[in-house]
Structure formats: C-alpha cells, structure tokens
Amino acid sequence: MSDTPDSPPPVPDTRAGRRPKAHPLARFLVRRVLLALLMAWGITLVTFVLTNLVPGDPVAANLGQRALGDPAIVAQWRAEHGLDQPLWQQYLIHLQGMLHGDLGMSQQSHRPVSEDLAEFVPATLELAGAAILVSLVLGVAFGVVAALRRDRLSDHALRVLSLIGISVPTFWLALVAFYVFFYRLQLTPGSGRVDVALGPAPPVTGLQTVDALLAGRWDIFSSALAHLATPALVLALYTIGLLTRFTRSAVLEVLGQDYVRAARAKGLPGRVVLFRYVLRSALVPIITVAGLAFGSLLSGTVLVEAIFAWPGIGQYAYKSATTLDLPAVMGVGLVVGAVYLVINLAVDVLYGVIDPRVRLR
C-alpha cells in the first residue's frame, strides 16, 4: 500500500450548462421597460376613468339645447360615439382602438384625434424643448458658479435671480414680455410660429426650426427662431431658477466630500476636479429635476400658448375641455402621460449609466 494519500476526486464543472448572467445594466433596463409598459396600461385606465368622471353632458355640449329636445337625435348621437355602451365596454373598445393607433374622432374638429395630435404636439414639443435646453445650459451654469463662489456677491445675485424666476407667475411674465417686446419696442414677432408671408417649411418632423434646416430654408429658420425665442425664454425662467438652486445645493454637497478634497490635494487641475468628480456626482438630483421640469413645461404651456397664439397642444386641450370633447381630452391625457413615462424611463437609464450602484437595486 502506498504511503501517499489518495488524491481528491475531481470536482465536476457545473458551469458548462449554466447560462451566462446578463450585464447588470441590461437587467436594469429590462426591469425598467417592463415597469414602463405596466405604467402605460395604468395611464390608459386612469385617463379613461377620470375623463368619464368629468361633470357635464357631452351630448348637451355638442348638440345644443334644441337638439336635446329630440330623443331620436340624442340616441343617434350617443350610438355614433359609443356612449350607449357600458363603461367597461367603452374602455375595451377604446383600448383596442388605441393599440391600432385609433384614438377616436374629435367631436369639435370632426377629424381623427391622432391627426389632431400629430398637428399640435410638435409645436408644443418645439416650445418646451427649446425652453428646457435654455434652462439646462443657464440653470446648471448659474448653479455651479454660485456654488464655487459661495457667499460672495455673484452667489447672492444669482440666488436672488433664481428666487425671482421661481416666484414670478409665468402667465404674468408672458403678458409683460408680449406687451414690452412686441407692442412697445417691436423687437420680436407677435404671434404664431413663422411669418405668414413665408409660410411653414415642408413638413418632416413638425418642428419648424428643424424642418427649415432640413429644407435649407434659412429665411424660414430665422423667422421660426425669432417667433420661438420669447415664449421659450418666458417658459424657461421658472426652470432656470429651479435648476440654479438645485445645482448649487448638489454641487456644494459634493464639494465637501473627502474624495474631492483628495483630488485637489493631489494637484489635479480645477476643471478636471469639477467635471470628473463634482459634476458627475451631482448629476443625479439635477437630472431628476430636469426631467420633471420638462414634463411640467410640456403640460403647462396653455396660458403661454394662448398669449403668443402658439398652435400647440395646450390650446387644443383647452378647446376640447370646454366642449367636453371626450376622445380629444383622453388623447391629450395619453400624450401627457406618455411624455412623463418616457422622461422617467430616460432618467432611470441615465441613473444607471452615471451611477453603477443604481443598477443593482
């Protein structure tokens, strides 16, 4: 018998039949997309229920008092618009049509709601997109400057300006801007998206500035940009103030961290410390505020669009609500809900890209 001990039996390799694990970011994205789909269904249900709970009779709002005296006309109108069905059946019909891109017929324009939204939504997207772009550039820059120059004159001045931007009502500022810059000084165009003499650019995206660039029409682009400047700046003022305050507080919190002091002690240039360490760590709360601000800009442009005669979804929603145009109201609600859903999904994705710790939650 040999004195050497027996060698241990070989351990079977169980990794051969095991599937490789997905990347943490991929699993994170899949979870967020599935949650977004569930929330999208919830948006359709909540929008339908709340729209049908609105007080008032759409029959009276659309037919008038004389037609209401004829029961046959009322019954025919309710049957044409599916209002004679039980509420749950109306929702199933609405959901089935929505899956096929059919949001119903508008009772005020007598056109498909999807066509109305395709006409009005790009105008609001252009206005809100320009406002949030200006807000991000100025708000983040002002917040960083205020944090780096804490308790100095520039910091106090920027904090006062941000407080004014948050406190001033947007509709009042729009009225003042329209009166001063158009009526008194005649520096800006009055209303609409482009000069009537030029006409709109050939439609591709529905955004006048983008379509003008795609068509090579610099005259239409300059006119569209001039029409866009004043309402976009009016809408952006509140968001600039909000982002300035949040950016300042987020940057100040990061500046006090040990790793920032260690980076400075190593002699790294100030711009490297600012962009690589400070801003990246402060981006998470800034992205959250920016996403919510863009959603509020997109859904809160009614008064600004009315003052500047901007043909956007705000005007369409107002007219639909006053006439109890239920398909149009539900269409607007779905668009606004979808915008918030897409923004939240984009913010979640940016969270996972910027901060790897978020992917593990």
Side-chain angles (χ1 to χ4, degrees):
M1 181 180 295
S2 177
D3 296 333
T4 60
D6 295 336
S7 59
V11 179
D13 188 4
T14 59
R15 294 177 297 175
R18 186 181 300 174
R19 294 181 179 180
K21 289 186 177 180
H23 193 275
L25 182 59
R27 296 200 306 269
F28 175 79
L29 293 178
V30 169
R31 290 198 304 267
R32 289 299 185 268
V33 169
L34 293 177
L35 182 60
L37 293 176
L38 181 62
M39 293 178 63
W41 171 77
I43 288 172
T44 63
L45 181 61
V46 171
T47 303
F48 180 83
V49 172
L50 292 181
T51 303
N52 284 273
L53 289 177
V54 173
D57 187 3
V59 179
N62 288 272
L63 293 182
Q65 294 298 323
R66 291 190 60 184
L68 285 177
D70 191 339
I73 296 178
V74 172
Q76 181 181 358
W77 192 90
R78 293 180 67 87
E80 288 178 355
H81 294 86
L83 299 179
D84 57 339
Q85 303 290 335
L87 195 61
W88 65 270
Q89 193 168 353
Q90 293 181 38
Y91 172 70
L92 292 180
I93 295 174
H94 171 71
L95 187 61
Q96 183 179 5
M98 187 184 61
L99 293 176
H100 292 84
D102 182 13
L103 299 178
M105 295 290 294
S106 172
Q107 298 160 9
Q108 59 172 326
S109 65
H110 304 289
R111 295 169 49 189
V113 174
S114 57
E115 293 185 6
D116 288 343
L117 294 176
E119 178 181 347
F120 293 112
V121 168
T124 302
L125 280 176
E126 186 174 34
L127 180 59
I132 196 63
L133 182 62
V134 172
S135 302
L136 283 171
V137 173
L138 296 181
V140 174
F142 289 165
V144 171
V145 171
L148 296 178
R149 302 182 64 84
R150 182 179 183 181
D151 294 332
R152 298 183 184 179
L153 180 60
S154 55
D155 178 27
H156 293 305
L158 289 173
R159 290 169 67 184
V160 170
L161 289 176
S162 66
L163 182 62
I164 293 174
I166 294 174
S167 304
V168 174
T170 303
F171 72 90
W172 181 83
L173 184 64
L175 288 171
V176 171
F178 185 83
Y179 176 78
V180 172
F181 295 108
F182 169 69
Y183 183 73
R184 300 295 297 181
L185 302 178
Q186 296 184 353
L187 295 176
T188 59
S191 59
R193 301 178 65 190
V194 70
D195 290 340
V196 179
L198 293 175
V204 179
T205 64
L207 312 177
Q208 284 296 321
T209 51
V210 176
D211 290 346
L213 288 176
L214 293 177
R217 295 291 304 272
W218 293 100
D219 52 347
I220 298 179
F221 174 76
S222 60
S223 175
L225 197 62
H227 282 78
L228 179 64
T230 306
L233 288 175
V234 168
L235 272 177
L237 184 62
Y238 173 83
T239 312
I240 290 173
L242 191 65
L243 284 174
T244 299
R245 298 175 71 87
F246 268 87
T247 303
R248 180 183 181 274
S249 61
V251 171
L252 284 177
E253 183 179 355
V254 176
L255 285 174
Q257 300 296 323
D258 293 337
Y259 61 87
V260 176
R261 288 195 290 265
R264 287 176 172 174
K266 290 179 180 179
L268 293 178
R271 64 179 182 276
V272 175
V273 176
L274 177 62
F275 289 101
R276 183 175 297 179
Y277 294 93
V278 177
L279 276 183
R280 182 169 183 178
S281 300
L283 273 180
V284 172
I286 295 173
I287 289 174
T288 303
V289 176
L292 295 175
F294 182 71
S296 63
L297 285 176
L298 197 61
S299 58
T301 60
V302 179
L303 294 175
V304 175
E305 289 181 359
I307 293 170
F308 290 95
W310 193 267
I313 194 174
Q315 290 296 295
Y316 182 71
Y318 172 75
K319 294 177 182 178
S320 302
T322 53
T323 58
L324 286 180
D325 189 353
L326 298 185
V329 171
M330 284 189 288
V332 172
L334 288 174
V335 168
V336 174
V339 167
Y340 273 100
L341 193 62
V342 171
I343 290 173
N344 287 332
L345 181 60
V347 168
D348 284 343
V349 172
L350 289 176
Y351 281 173
V353 173
I354 295 172
D355 190 353
R357 295 172 298 178
V358 179
R359 308 172 194 171
L360 303 177
R361 296 177 183 175

